[in-house]
Amino acid sequence: MKLDPARTRLILGFFERYLKLNEQEEEEVMEKVKNMEESEEILDLPISWEEKGIEKGIREVALELLKEGSSVEFVAKVTRLNEETIKKMRKTLI
């Protein structure tokens, strides 16, 4: 079950938008997925999606800190981004 990134995004977007599960339903689905042959690949999909969201959020926080006048060193300490990345981000604000 190898999906290219575009199809993966489409499928995950569909589930995020249209398949709203309560906690019990989500647990039931996860139990069924765990018993599937492709369970590892399926369970890895949301993780990569979450990681991309976290990365985007960290970058947004870094930009806001820079807008408020925080130093590159401080932003690096708080966000754990490297200073070179932060310097590049700061140049986009000018």
Side-chain angles (χ1 to χ4, degrees), residues 6 8 15 17-18 20 24 28 32 34-36 39 48 52 65-67 69 73-74 78 80-83 87-88 94:
T8 300
F15 281 102
R17 173 69 98 191
Y18 299 108
K20 304 291 184 190
Q24 181 182 353
E28 290 173 12
K32 289 179 182 178
K34 287 177 186 175
N35 294 326
M36 295 174 67
S39 65
S48 65
K52 288 177 184 177
L65 288 169
L66 291 169
K67 286 178 186 176
E73 294 79 16
F74 177 74
V78 171
R80 296 189 180 111
L81 294 172
N82 67 54
E83 289 186 14
K87 287 177 185 175
K88 288 178 185 176
I94 299 172

Side-chain angles (χ1 to χ4, degrees), residues 47-75:
I47 293 169
S48 65
W49 191 263
E50 289 171 8
E51 288 171 354
K52 288 177 184 177
I54 290 168
E55 172 79 19
K56 183 179 178 185
I58 289 171
R59 290 181 174 275
E60 288 175 5
V61 168
L63 280 173
E64 290 302 316
L65 288 169
L66 291 169
K67 286 178 186 176
E68 293 296 320
S70 298
S71 70
V72 170
E73 294 79 16
F74 177 74
V75 176

Side-chain angles (χ1 to χ4, degrees), residues 7-23:
R7 286 191 176 116
T8 300
R9 185 178 185 117
L10 175 69
I11 291 169
L12 290 174
F14 173 83
F15 281 102
E16 287 287 318
R17 173 69 98 191
Y18 299 108
L19 187 63
K20 304 291 184 190
L21 303 176
N22 64 38
E23 196 172 318

Side-chain angles (χ1 to χ4, degrees), residues 31 37 80 93:
E31 282 302 313
E37 198 172 301
R80 296 189 180 111
L93 297 175

